[in-house]
Amino acid sequence: MNKKEELKEYYLNNIEEYEKWGNIVKSKIEELLKNDDINEPELQWISKVRVKKLESFIEKALYRENKSYDDPIHEIEDYVGLRVIVLFKKTCSEINKLLKRPGWHITKARDFEEEIKKEPMIFDYQSNHYIIRPIEGIFEGHNFSVDVCCELQVRTLMQHAYAEVTHDLLYKGITSIRLETKRNTIRGMALSETTDFLFQQVESEIKSDIKCQSKIISKLTDFINKHKLTLNTDFIALQKQYNNVSEIISVEDSSKFEDFIDDFENYLVEDSKELAVDHDNSAIVVFYQYLVKTKKRQLEEIWSKDLELLKKIENKINYWNII
Amino acid sequence: MKINHVVLHKIIKGKDKDNKFYLDPINEIIKLDSSSAKLLEVRVGEVLRNVTTLKYDTNGVYMQLKDVFKNDYSSEDYLKHLSNISERLVEVQDLRVGSSILFYVDATLYGKDIFLVIKAEFNQAFELDITKEHPNLRLVENSFLGPEKKLYKLILLNEELIENNEVNIYDSNLSEFKLSGLAKYFFSGFLGCKIPEDSKKQVEPFYNYSNRFIRALDVPLKDKASYQNSLITYLYSDTNRSVGIEEFSDYCFGDAEIADDYVQYMNDVRVVKTSIVKDLDYTRSFIDSGKIKWVFDSNVELSFKSYDRSLINIVEEKEDSTILEIQGKVKSL
């Protein structure tokens, strides 16, 4: 039996077991993601288990120009594979931690963070690759051959886009690539990484803004409840009114607002009810008093409503200063 | 502010040849209706941003006002004391001003007692009739909401101030306020107060902290120099009646964020609580004696008197050089 026939025989005899293992790995990952905090909207997609085709396996084992194998049956590890595609790079790190939980044997075959550290000037294919095997062929009551394995790829949507566009073309040697195309590929990857970076920034900023907003509204509501003020604290309404001025609010304002409430508590209790009369009786006037006290000029620049309320608040604050 | 009651005194300018004033007190304690009280509160609130603190000096009615504030007199005695106080104003009133109306306001602010004396312009054509429907509102409107700013003098007392023999005052004519001229009769002759010595000196920390804020700003040198220039002009000028954080912020910084940060910074360092009455002579001599030093990253230093700041113009800032235009020729090397 020649090498090709030997490979073909191994493939046909074992591929179903590989596929079965791949499906168990997929179910386990789905379970892990479902039960963890990571199961948030940003988690995009888990692929079906992809089984390597016989022709592709033979081509990889015997004819791949850029890589040769002494023992392809054991050295090739992507008989079956699946992918998890996420929105943000930080989710890749979170998944990395999760994958260590099940009682399986896992190795990291590619680590894009490490590759960037080694070659910071290079923009290239980026993805985390893991090889997952049952320990001594046993996993949660299932028995397998000790050779069985599954490749898991975890990457961002932008990294995936780059991989999809370029991987077959550039790395499987289907055709020769012009210099300009190679250059455009690198440009695309640089742009993808930049987009990933910006998306991560955006996500972090949004989360931080939401946290700040929640803290402020929560402090506001606590204050109203503590003093039994009959002001409207409907969360959705407060959120909407907060959003009207969010442009000038920074993260530090949540703690500054807490100090403000503590420092001016008596004044706020006395003035807020009166100020809210012409403003839907909303508790937001307490926060507006903070803004007039600390950011009056910025507030006036973005204020889209009648300035009468701001004038009234300013008038009240002038009294605070003389007592 | 809860207005407990008001007492009104008219000070009428006579029509005889020597134009002497006479007092026309309305000897009763008036309860303002809610609309009038609200209007008065708003009108007073508008000027509180610009109050300054004076110290009791000698003579004047300050001690009598203090007694009225502290003691729980019977209605009769209370009104008698206030009439005596108003009589003093009749005596010292500057003949160049017209008839006026005095509001003595007893109020509670955030649970604390305050006492206000407000002097407003009084139009004799307006018949003061407190018996008709809503007379109070008409009175307050007529006194404070005319086309001109009719609330032109205010005296404010609270517990903390009288403990220190101090008073907060506002004067709509503070541009001329050096405790001389038109204002002298009221705050000095009538009230018996003066600018406290330490108030004069507050200009110095005001300048130093404002300058420190400007120096720390992350803006081009040209903008910093422009802000420094504004600071010196603001303090040096005789058109600004007093020195105040909010007022200077609006005067100097076009950028709303910087303006707000400045107010926040100055309030945090607690340099001044109320506006500072500017003693022009002291302020000018302080500025004239001050120096500004610019140190360039090449270690070249440029030092000049604060007052000469306007003679130096930053034409352009480049990455490794700064082009300056300095008025005057080099005199010595």
Side-chain angles (χ1 to χ4, degrees):
Chain A
M1 195 166 15
N2 64 23
K3 189 76 176 169
K4 189 174 173 181
E5 283 170 348
E6 189 189 333
L7 289 168
K8 186 177 174 183
E9 187 181 342
Y10 178 82
Y11 178 91
L12 293 173
N13 287 341
N14 293 283
I15 198 67
E16 278 184 20
E17 194 180 12
Y18 277 91
E19 189 175 7
K20 184 185 166 193
W21 170 237
N23 281 319
I24 287 176
V25 170
K26 184 183 180 201
S27 302
K28 194 70 193 170
I29 290 171
E30 282 171 340
E31 185 189 317
L32 285 170
L33 296 176
K34 197 175 172 185
N35 293 332
D36 198 85
D37 292 342
I38 208 168
N39 190 21
E40 288 176 4
E42 70 251 34
L43 189 71
Q44 289 296 293
W45 178 63
I46 303 173
S47 74
K48 288 195 295 189
V49 174
R50 173 192 53 82
V51 180
K52 203 171 198 67
K53 286 180 181 163
L54 176 61
E55 307 81 62
S56 180
F57 170 66
I58 300 290
E59 188 272 334
K60 185 172 186 175
L62 300 178
Y63 308 116
R64 188 67 61 86
E65 276 183 13
N66 52 6
K67 192 164 187 182
S68 61
Y69 298 95
D70 296 330
D71 179 11
I73 285 175
H74 295 103
E75 285 179 51
I76 288 175
E77 293 171 310
D78 62 344
Y79 291 91
V80 291
L82 69 150
R83 282 189 195 114
V84 178
I85 308 297
V86 298
L87 259 187
F88 304 114
K89 270 188 177 176
K90 76 169 179 54
T91 316
C92 293
S93 308
E94 289 165 6
I95 290 176
N96 186 58
K97 284 180 197 158
L98 271 188
L99 291 172
K100 289 170 186 165
R101 286 189 195 168
W104 56 31
H105 181 270
I106 183 164
T107 54
K108 207 168 188 180
R110 287 193 76 154
D111 183 333
F112 68 80
E113 299 283 5
E114 287 301 317
E115 287 169 17
I116 290 169
K117 277 184 201 165
K118 279 182 194 159
E119 300 272 16
M121 303 296 281
I122 303 292
F123 290 97
D124 203 348
Y125 171 81
Q126 292 176 5
S127 181
N128 285 343
H129 289 191
Y130 301 87
I131 306 301
I132 302 174
R133 299 171 192 273
I135 296 171
E136 294 177 354
I138 301 169
F139 183 78
E140 294 183 351
H142 299 276
N143 291 313
F144 296 94
S145 142
V146 288
D147 292 331
V148 82
C149 60
C150 169
E151 185 191 70
L152 170 69
Q153 298 178 355
V154 181
R155 59 190 178 226
T156 69
L157 195 57
M158 295 310 296
Q159 289 169 336
H160 183 60
Y162 172 87
E164 284 296 293
V165 171
T166 62
H167 195 255
D168 286 357
L169 207 60
L170 287 176
Y171 300 100
K172 290 192 176 174
I174 292 166
T175 180
S176 64
I177 307 298
R178 286 186 294 124
L179 186 65
E180 193 184 339
T181 307
K182 284 183 179 169
R183 189 67 199 154
N184 282 338
T185 307
I186 301 307
R187 284 180 180 138
M189 188 59 224
L191 198 57
S192 294
E193 193 174 320
T194 307
T195 309
D196 260 341
F197 174 79
L198 291 174
F199 280 173
Q200 188 64 68
Q201 284 286 108
V202 168
E203 195 249 0
S204 158
E205 285 164 13
I206 289 173
K207 277 195 168 165
S208 156
D209 286 347
I210 290 172
K211 198 174 164 188
C212 176
Q213 185 200 61
S214 307
K215 276 179 82 175
I216 286 171
I217 293 179
S218 159
K219 181 72 189 171
L220 195 57
T221 311
D222 289 349
F223 170 76
I224 301 299
N225 293 339
K226 180 183 168 188
H227 296 283
K228 298 185 173 59
L229 298 176
T230 51
L231 294 179
N232 185 0
T233 53
D234 174 65
F235 186 79
I236 303 292
L238 287 176
Q239 219 174 18
K240 204 173 164 189
Q241 288 155 333
Y242 175 98
N243 288 341
N244 290 334
V245 294
S246 60
E247 192 58 37
I248 60 167
I249 298 166
S250 59
V251 178
E252 306 86 64
D253 282 314
S254 62
S255 58
K256 284 185 179 173
F257 179 58
E258 287 194 27
D259 294 342
F260 169 82
I261 293 227
D262 294 342
D263 292 345
F264 299 101
E265 194 163 16
N266 294 341
Y267 305 154
L268 292 167
V269 169
E270 194 165 322
D271 292 341
S272 298
K273 181 77 183 152
E274 184 188 325
L275 291 168
V277 168
D278 295 326
H279 204 74
D280 303 330
N281 208 35
S282 172
I284 198 72
V285 293
V286 177
F287 185 57
Y288 288 167
Q289 286 172 88
Y290 163 77
L291 292 177
V292 171
K293 180 92 173 101
T294 58
K295 301 180 173 211
K296 189 185 83 175
R297 292 154 191 85
Q298 293 170 78
L299 184 62
E300 282 171 354
E301 280 192 347
I302 60 151
W303 191 255
S304 56
K305 296 176 185 170
D306 185 2
L307 283 169
E308 198 54 37
L309 177 67
L310 300 191
K311 279 186 192 164
K312 280 184 185 171
I313 293 174
E314 195 182 348
N315 201 289
K316 292 284 184 195
I317 289 175
N318 286 343
Y319 277 97
W320 300 1
N321 296 331
I322 54 110
I323 201 77
Chain B
M1 180 168 72
K2 179 175 174 286
I3 296 175
N4 303 318
H5 65 254
V6 170
V7 172
L8 296 173
H9 289 170
K10 290 186 283 181
I11 296 177
I12 308 294
K13 194 170 191 175
K15 288 185 176 156
D16 51 359
K17 60 176 182 179
D18 52 4
N19 284 346
K20 277 191 176 170
F21 291 97
Y22 63 91
L23 177 65
D24 179 7
I26 300 162
N27 272 322
E28 59 182 296
I29 291 169
I30 300 168
K31 299 279 181 191
L32 288 186
D33 60 62
S34 61
S35 309
S36 312
K38 180 50 55 196
L39 192 57
L40 185 59
E41 181 189 343
V42 169
R43 194 65 189 88
V44 170
E46 281 168 7
V47 303
L48 287 180
R49 176 178 138 160
N50 296 317
V51 294
T52 56
T53 305
L54 296 184
K55 191 101 181 162
Y56 173 62
D57 184 24
T58 179
N59 299 323
V61 297
Y62 180 82
M63 284 301 169
Q64 288 164 268
L65 279 172
K66 195 171 164 177
D67 285 344
V68 168
F69 179 78
K70 287 181 86 171
N71 294 312
D72 193 15
Y73 289 124
S74 67
S75 298
E76 196 182 335
D77 286 347
Y78 179 70
L79 290 169
K80 197 175 161 191
H81 274 91
L82 293 186
S83 288
N84 289 340
I85 289 168
S86 295
E87 285 291 358
R88 171 73 179 169
L89 184 58
V90 170
E91 282 172 32
V92 299
Q93 181 92 299
D94 192 296
L95 290 174
R96 286 173 288 177
V97 302
S99 297
S100 54
I101 183 164
L102 281 182
F103 284 68
Y104 292 100
V105 183
D106 180 286
T108 310
L109 184 60
Y110 305 111
K112 293 181 179 173
D113 293 335
I114 63 166
F115 194 75
L116 302 166
V117 183
I118 305 165
K119 184 168 183 276
E121 188 177 307
F122 180 62
N123 183 354
Q124 288 182 69
F126 174 72
E127 281 301 317
L128 190 59
D129 182 352
I130 58 167
T131 60
K132 289 182 181 170
E133 197 182 353
H134 302 305
N136 294 335
L137 182 60
R138 282 184 60 209
L139 170 69
V140 176
E141 279 175 351
N142 191 61
S143 300
F144 300 135
L145 285 181
E148 301 154 22
K149 275 192 171 179
K150 291 185 174 182
L151 188 166
Y152 51 79
K153 285 179 180 33
L154 176 123
I155 294 167
L156 186 149
L157 286 169
N158 63 32
E159 195 67 44
E160 193 187 340
L161 287 165
I162 62 168
E163 270 178 25
N164 300 314
N165 276 343
E166 289 176 339
V167 60
N168 275 346
I169 60 105
Y170 164 80
D171 189 330
S172 63
N173 290 320
L174 266 181
S175 56
E176 301 164 49
F177 184 42
K178 287 168 72 182
L179 281 193
S180 61
L182 285 176
K184 189 177 180 181
Y185 80 87
F186 193 78
F187 295 112
S188 181
F190 168 60
L191 193 58
C193 292
K194 64 167 186 175
I195 304 170
E197 278 304 307
D198 59 347
S199 174
K200 283 185 194 175
K201 290 173 187 162
Q202 278 184 310
V203 173
E204 210 169 316
F206 180 91
Y207 171 82
N208 289 336
Y209 278 100
S210 299
N211 203 21
R212 193 177 294 180
F213 173 83
I214 291 167
R215 285 207 313 265
L217 282 173
D218 184 19
V219 295
L221 181 63
K222 204 170 180 173
D223 291 345
K224 279 191 196 187
S226 161
Y227 296 151
Q228 277 177 331
N229 209 12
S230 295
L231 176 61
I232 289 164
T233 308
Y234 175 75
L235 293 177
Y236 212 89
S237 156
D238 55 8
T239 52
N240 302 93
R241 58 199 180 208
S242 58
V243 176
I245 294 169
E246 298 260 359
E247 188 184 64
F248 175 66
S249 184
D250 291 338
Y251 170 81
C252 177
F253 304 109
D255 183 301
E257 196 173 343
I258 295 176
D260 284 336
D261 286 349
Y262 170 77
V263 172
Q264 194 69 38
Y265 169 77
M266 292 297 274
N267 285 332
D268 287 349
V269 295
R270 297 176 186 275
V271 178
V272 289
K273 195 176 171 192
T274 56
S275 295
I276 311 163
V277 180
K278 195 197 290 179
D279 183 308
L280 213 50
D281 296 338
Y282 179 86
T283 305
R284 285 182 174 174
S285 79
F286 160 69
I287 291 172
D288 286 347
S289 63
K291 279 195 169 183
I292 291 177
K293 189 164 79 172
W294 289 356
V295 182
F296 295 83
D297 57 10
S298 54
N299 285 330
V300 169
E301 290 184 9
L302 183 64
S303 173
F304 48 92
K305 285 184 177 174
S306 310
Y307 180 63
D308 292 332
R309 167 65 204 94
S310 57
L311 302 177
I312 299 170
N313 180 34
I314 297 164
V315 178
E316 195 181 349
E317 272 185 274
K318 295 180 177 175
E319 200 157 302
D320 53 3
S321 65
T322 309
I323 302 173
L324 300 174
E325 185 182 74
I326 302 173
Q327 286 184 40
K329 288 186 174 179
V330 176
K331 202 161 71 177
S332 67
L333 289 172

